[in-house]
Amino acid sequence: KQMKQGLHALLNVLEHKEANDQRKTMACDSIFRLMWDGSLKPHYQNLLLESGRVNLIIDMTTPEHSDLARSRAFNTLGTFLFNNQRNVQWLTDNKSLYDSIELALLSSKTTVSVRERAVYVVNNMACYPSHSLLELYLPLMANTLLSEVVDAQTAAVIVGFFHKVSDSSISHSRLLELNIAAPLVRLVNIQLSREEMVPAMATLTLAKLFSTTNSETFNTSPLYSKYLMDYTI
């Protein structure tokens, strides 16, 4: 009962029209800290979903709020999803969250910390792949890597996301149909920064996509030939 009261008190701050951005950011951060505790994480994750007020945190990810508020809100949502299949299924289909993440990733005005935390949310969706993840978030991640605004830190997290997805139950042929190889090839061929981890991770993920570990063979596939040619040029 005390756990529930504490969480609802923090959600009340987010709901309060008179509360300023700083107070709301602190409340959001406190909710994150409640869920961050390993043993209590599932309890608070479930309490937050059952509260019916997750949208209060999603609302804080929009540009009307400070960069710090947006970053903390995305961080809290990512933790809300962490290893929790029910929460992932519920939040992956949330249109408001998708719109907010799309804006965070593709706007040139977004700071690196906000963009990277937005990808953290999507990364935690990948533990339980869904239709929305494939149809909405995968193309968005690919478009972000191909955009002019992407930075090395965000690129590294997105490549990590693709690597995780390539390890999931989704077939490699389906992933290639969604054109995730093209942005990975681009990352191998450009130097976003002195950080060599990005092209190295991209190369590793491409190798995995074209491997036979996903019970499919691509050596005869036109897609394989096309991307192998792009990759070796």
Side-chain angles (χ1 to χ4, degrees):
K1 190 178 178 182
Q2 281 182 325
M3 290 168 69
K4 195 171 184 177
Q5 285 175 339
L7 179 62
H8 279 272
L10 293 167
L11 289 168
N12 288 343
V13 175
L14 299 186
E15 202 163 30
H16 200 290
K17 288 184 170 61
E18 301 302 314
N20 62 24
D21 224 43
Q22 189 177 7
R23 277 191 67 200
K24 288 186 175 185
T25 302
M26 288 171 67
C28 197
D29 200 38
S30 296
I31 294 170
F32 157 73
R33 291 180 193 284
L34 289 177
M35 288 190 294
W36 189 246
D37 186 308
S39 58
L40 296 175
K41 181 178 282 157
H43 301 294
Y44 278 113
Q45 285 175 324
N46 294 336
L47 282 175
L48 182 54
L49 181 64
E50 288 157 13
S51 75
R53 296 201 282 173
V54 180
N55 281 331
L56 293 172
I57 301 171
I58 295 172
D59 290 345
M60 287 194 57
T61 63
T62 58
E64 290 76 50
H65 296 278
S66 68
D67 290 335
L68 182 61
R70 295 176 74 195
S71 177
R72 294 291 162 83
F74 278 130
N75 204 36
T76 303
L77 290 169
T79 307
F80 168 70
L81 295 179
F82 190 78
N83 283 347
N84 190 309
Q85 187 168 7
R86 185 172 69 147
N87 290 3
V88 168
Q89 287 170 341
W90 183 84
L91 200 56
T92 307
D93 293 330
N94 187 293
K95 179 70 167 61
S96 297
L97 178 64
Y98 175 79
D99 290 344
S100 194
I101 288 176
E102 182 182 41
L103 189 61
L105 294 182
L106 299 179
S107 169
S108 59
K109 296 176 182 175
T110 310
T111 60
V112 173
S113 61
V114 172
R115 196 177 284 127
E116 189 264 338
R117 287 293 87 189
V119 179
Y120 168 65
V121 177
V122 184
N123 227 330
N124 283 347
M125 291 176 179
C127 298
Y128 305 101
S130 66
H131 178 78
S132 293
L133 185 86
L134 274 182
E135 300 302 321
L136 294 174
Y137 285 103
L138 263 168
L140 175 60
M141 295 294 105
N143 289 339
T144 303
L145 286 183
L146 292 169
S147 74
E148 295 302 313
V149 300
V150 72
D151 56 273
Q153 193 174 325
T154 304
V157 185
I158 294 177
V159 174
F161 163 76
F162 283 144
H163 200 75
K164 185 185 283 189
V165 167
S166 69
D167 266 338
S168 73
S169 56
I170 305 166
S171 74
H172 287 169
S173 57
R174 182 74 184 106
L175 291 174
L176 290 168
E177 281 168 18
L178 289 163
N179 205 27
I180 75 164
L184 292 171
V185 168
R186 178 177 180 261
L187 287 182
V188 172
N189 290 322
I190 65 167
Q191 195 65 33
L192 273 169
S193 70
R194 292 179 185 177
E195 179 56 71
E196 291 187 9
M197 181 176 73
V198 175
M201 283 175 68
T203 305
L204 190 63
T205 307
L206 279 167
K208 184 182 284 285
L209 279 172
F210 292 123
S211 73
T212 55
T213 56
N214 202 254
S215 71
E216 297 179 37
T217 308
F218 290 103
N219 353 20
T220 55
S221 146
L223 271 171
Y224 178 81
S225 309
K226 176 183 182 299
Y227 286 118
L228 189 64
M229 190 165 25
D230 287 348
Y231 173 62
T232 49
I233 283 171

